[in-house]
Each structure stands twice: as structure tokens, then as C-alpha cells.
Amino acid sequence: MSGFDLGESAEDADDDPAEQETAEDAEQMESPAEDATSEEEEEVNPKEEPQFGTEDVRQYSTYPREETLEEFQRVDTAEVQPFLVSEGIKNVETREIHDALYRMAIENPERLGELIMEGRGLDPDREN
């Protein structure tokens, strides 16, 4: 006989049954700690920490022109960040800024289209 159940994978066959029980016990012991972590995450102060973590994001590259990015960074530093600080907002993450930019575009699709036209040198107010 082979020494392992046909329902087991070959990788599991070498595991000592005592070690398997210990691993299962460890998983059960970790569950309450995970539940406590979930509860703690719900209690995050929105003025202190972002309301969504990196696990909730999708990394997506953007490709602004250099001058657009430089102007955005200037506005962020000179206007956006001071506004947030005056409102008591701390620890603003780049992902929050990007999320807000996308939400702003979603809320203003016509303006987004106009800016794309302007970027191509077209007048959005002119009839085609």
C-alpha cells in the first residue's frame, strides 16, 4: 500500500498527521484575530486614514503630458493639500487622489470630452 489516501494529493502524503492537526488548530486560532482586525478596520477615523486599502484598488497607469502633471502637482501642493489639512484630513494617499480624479471625470463626462477636444486643438463650442 502507498501510505496515503487516494483522496489526498501526493504533496500532502508526506505530511505527518500530527502536523496537519496543528496547522488546522492554528488556522482556527487565527480566525478570531482576523475578525477583530475586520472590526478595527471599520472603526478607522476618516480624517486620520484612507477609507479603502490597497486591496480595494486596481493599479492602472495614466499618461499625462509632462506639463499637465507638473501643473497638477503644483495645484495639489499649493491648494488641495492645504485645503485638506485645514479640514483636519491627514495621511492622504496617492490612490485617494487618483480615485477622486476618476470620480470627478465620471461626474463630468461632457467636460472630460471637452478637455480631450481642447487637447487636440479643437474648439468644443464650435459646430462640427
Side-chain angles (χ1 to χ4, degrees):
M1 197 126 166
S2 67
F4 65 91
D5 186 349
L6 293 177
E8 291 181 302
S9 70
E11 295 168 2
D12 295 337
D14 294 334
D15 292 343
D16 181 10
E19 289 177 21
Q20 289 177 353
E21 289 176 16
T22 305
E24 288 174 9
D25 292 341
E27 287 176 17
Q28 289 175 357
M29 291 175 67
E30 289 176 11
S31 295
E34 290 173 8
D35 292 342
T37 302
S38 296
E39 290 174 17
E40 290 172 13
E41 289 175 357
E42 292 174 15
E43 298 175 15
V44 171
N45 181 343
K47 287 192 172 192
E48 298 287 332
E49 296 296 330
Q51 290 300 296
F52 63 95
T54 55
E55 67 278 354
D56 295 330
V57 301
R58 175 178 170 209
Q59 191 171 9
Y60 185 79
S61 297
T62 59
Y63 304 98
R65 287 184 252 177
E66 188 171 337
E67 61 271 8
T68 302
L69 181 58
E70 288 173 359
E71 181 64 10
F72 172 76
Q73 290 171 331
R74 187 199 66 72
V75 169
D76 182 47
T77 301
E79 297 181 42
V80 176
Q81 295 301 324
F83 169 75
L84 292 171
V85 168
S86 75
E87 294 293 320
I89 308 300
K90 300 177 183 177
N91 302 322
V92 176
E93 298 283 340
T94 302
R95 66 180 179 269
E96 292 179 283
I97 296 168
H98 292 169
D99 188 68
L101 288 169
Y102 281 102
R103 287 186 290 119
M104 188 167 50
I106 290 166
E107 292 173 4
N108 300 287
E110 188 173 317
R111 182 64 182 138
L112 178 61
E114 291 171 352
L115 289 169
I116 291 168
M117 290 178 69
E118 290 172 10
R120 291 184 172 201
L122 301 171
D123 183 358
D125 296 325
R126 189 172 155 246
E127 299 267 338
N128 291 329

